[in-house]
Amino acid sequence: MIASGVAVAYYQDHRGSGSGDASAAAGDMLEGNADESGEAPKSRAPKSPDTSKSPSSSASSSPSSSPSSSASPSSEEIDIPASGPGTFVTAQADGTVVGKGSRVRRYMVLVENGIDVSASAAADEISAVLADQRGWTRDGTNSFQLVSSGSYDFVVKIATPGTTDQICGAAGLQTRGEVNCSVGTDVVVNLKRWVLGSPQFDGPIGEYRALIVNHEVGHRIGHGHETCPGPGKPAPAMMQQIKGLKGCVANAWPYSRDGSYLGGPQVP
């Protein structure tokens, strides 16, 4: 359970028009939160459960069930340094494609040097989200391929708060050491959010990471924002859940296990 009671700042997405293959324009902000209490951010946090294993084969239709939700938390801790060197290590890939869709989306995973998150572990977790039967491969059109070189459709970068501010700030975005951003084909995930999650998301950290991945990848394959379809229903993965759930239940996945799309009305 993510602790509540923290003030939240959010940013509106600004997306370019055109086909679903076009990358989101600079200014596309991801789920994030900002502590306005004036207190210094925590420097260490509990290490999250290992999510590199294959998704559960459970037949449960609950959208909130996560591949990592049953794992036991580690007693180790992850440092959250304020800044880093601004250089990255690229996760290696064997070229495996997940999904059967004809549109193969090539992506890379990079992790800033000097932080307690390995590129391979992050890539495993992101790949598990994209391979999950509740993810975007369920649409029958899209598939995903983790690559370590060559052309790509998007890059996921996990960076310290300071480096996130530098990358995002170069595009005129104010992340203030707290939130994520997307600039061109780069999805910049603030290490603080990767480790601590969001106080607005009621669920395990693996679920919140899945929401980050599914929301942003959804934009990159042509989905816009959606809103709550009704009280008590799962919040769409394409909903800006950081702004409030409007009666819906927090949810990280675009599809249920039975293949139903967990969407809602389009946001103009």
Side-chain angles (χ1 to χ4, degrees):
M1 184 77 67
I2 304 300
S4 60
V6 180
V8 174
Y10 56 80
Y11 295 77
Q12 178 67 38
D13 283 0
H14 300 284
R15 223 163 306 288
S17 61
S19 69
D21 289 341
S23 297
D28 178 14
M29 305 302 296
L30 301 178
E31 293 278 333
N33 67 290
D35 186 349
E36 297 174 351
S37 66
E39 297 178 357
K42 298 176 182 178
S43 61
R44 298 182 72 85
K47 184 167 287 186
S48 62
D50 180 10
T51 58
S52 63
K53 298 180 177 62
S54 298
S56 169
S57 58
S58 169
S60 170
S61 61
S62 170
S64 64
S65 176
S66 167
S68 63
S69 61
S70 62
S72 298
S74 170
S75 59
E76 297 176 276
E77 293 182 333
I78 292 178
D79 281 319
I80 308 176
S83 61
T87 58
F88 292 81
V89 58
T90 302
Q92 296 304 299
D94 60 9
T96 299
V97 175
V98 297
K100 299 180 179 179
S102 60
R103 178 62 171 95
V104 180
R105 310 280 180 166
R106 291 166 55 90
Y107 70 100
M108 301 173 71
V109 174
L110 279 65
V111 173
E112 188 170 8
N113 283 297
I115 64 177
D116 291 342
V117 176
S118 76
S120 61
D124 284 347
E125 188 162 358
I126 293 167
S127 296
V129 171
L130 294 176
D132 195 284
Q133 62 181 321
R134 299 161 292 173
W136 290 115
T137 59
R138 198 64 177 260
D139 65 10
T141 299
N142 292 282
S143 56
F144 300 92
Q145 181 181 27
L146 176 66
V147 299
S148 51
S149 61
S151 62
Y152 55 83
D153 293 280
F154 60 94
V155 177
V156 180
K157 293 181 177 179
I158 300 176
T160 58
T163 298
T164 298
D165 286 351
Q166 290 178 4
I167 297 173
C168 303
L173 308 178
Q174 298 300 314
T175 48
R176 299 181 179 87
E178 292 291 343
V179 296
N180 316 295
C181 82
S182 184
V183 179
T185 57
D186 286 355
V187 177
V188 187
V189 180
N190 191 318
L191 176 66
K192 190 173 182 180
R193 299 281 65 82
W194 184 259
V195 174
L196 298 179
S198 165
Q200 296 296 96
F201 191 87
D202 185 13
I205 189 63
E207 283 289 287
Y208 182 72
R209 293 175 184 173
L211 176 59
I212 292 176
V213 174
N214 287 323
H215 186 93
E216 189 61 24
V217 171
H219 283 316
R220 276 158 175 71
I221 63 177
H223 292 269
H225 284 139
E226 300 172 4
T227 190
C228 178
K233 295 184 177 181
M238 297 312 301
M239 181 178 176
Q240 289 180 297
Q241 296 181 38
I242 197 69
K243 292 186 175 182
L245 297 176
K246 304 181 186 300
C248 273
V249 178
N251 164 54
W253 303 96
Y255 290 87
S256 66
R257 288 194 183 278
D258 66 8
S260 300
Y261 182 63
L262 302 174
Q266 294 289 318
V267 176

